[in-house]
Amino acid sequence: MFFRRAILNNPDVINTSEPWSQLFYNDFWGTNLTDSGSHCSYRPLTVLTFKINHILGGTNAFGYHLVNVLLHCLATSLVVNLGRHILPCEISTLLSGLLFAIHPIHTEAVAGLTGRADLIACIFFILTLLSYIKHVQLREKCNVQYYVAL
């Protein structure tokens, strides 16, 4: 049902004659945001990935599922990377990655095509945390070097 509405009936995904920039003015389902019938769920990056999927593989659901599985693998690797920074030992890091990878709560996000928005949000959230951790590490390193130089 959602595959039909989010991809097959979404003009931002299937219409190749419209400019790609149009998807920035529409909601997740392809309705203009100013329209009274709009759902107002603004997810242009997800719709863009659907459009690229459609260009590369048409309406074959296999390609969409493959991208979702690959995004889940990327999110899992980011969880393991994050665990290396905040968990005390390698075993707990690997267990956290395994738990994230196989936890049933991710079933809908990976198996359902419209769950891609959740996967992308997860990836960007973890990337943000990793960027902040790197910033703090560099800031502390610079502060130590500054005080040693004095």
Side-chain angles (χ1 to χ4, degrees), residues 28-122:
F28 185 68
W29 309 103
T31 307
N32 193 296
L33 287 168
T34 59
D35 190 288
S36 63
S38 173
H39 190 270
C40 293
S41 55
Y42 187 68
R43 299 176 191 142
L45 183 59
T46 305
V47 176
L48 180 63
T49 64
F50 287 155
K51 186 171 190 75
I52 292 169
N53 255 137
H54 186 267
I55 289 169
L56 295 177
T59 58
N60 185 356
F62 175 78
Y64 295 89
H65 285 293
L66 179 63
V67 170
N68 280 11
V69 169
L70 293 174
L71 287 172
H72 181 63
C73 290
L74 175 60
T76 301
S77 68
L78 289 171
V79 166
V80 171
N81 193 354
L82 180 63
R84 287 189 179 119
H85 291 287
I86 61 175
L87 295 174
C89 64
E90 192 67 25
I91 295 295
S92 58
T93 298
L94 293 175
L95 285 176
S96 69
L98 180 65
L99 179 64
F100 181 87
I102 65 170
H103 199 283
I105 200 166
H106 300 283
T107 304
E108 185 179 347
V110 177
L113 299 181
T114 57
R116 187 176 297 181
D118 299 332
L119 293 167
I120 292 171
C122 175

Side-chain angles (χ1 to χ4, degrees), residues 7-8 10-20 51 54-55:
I7 296 166
L8 297 178
N10 189 337
D12 291 334
V13 174
I14 62 169
N15 194 348
T16 56
S17 63
E18 282 187 24
W20 286 38
K51 186 171 190 75
H54 186 267
I55 289 169

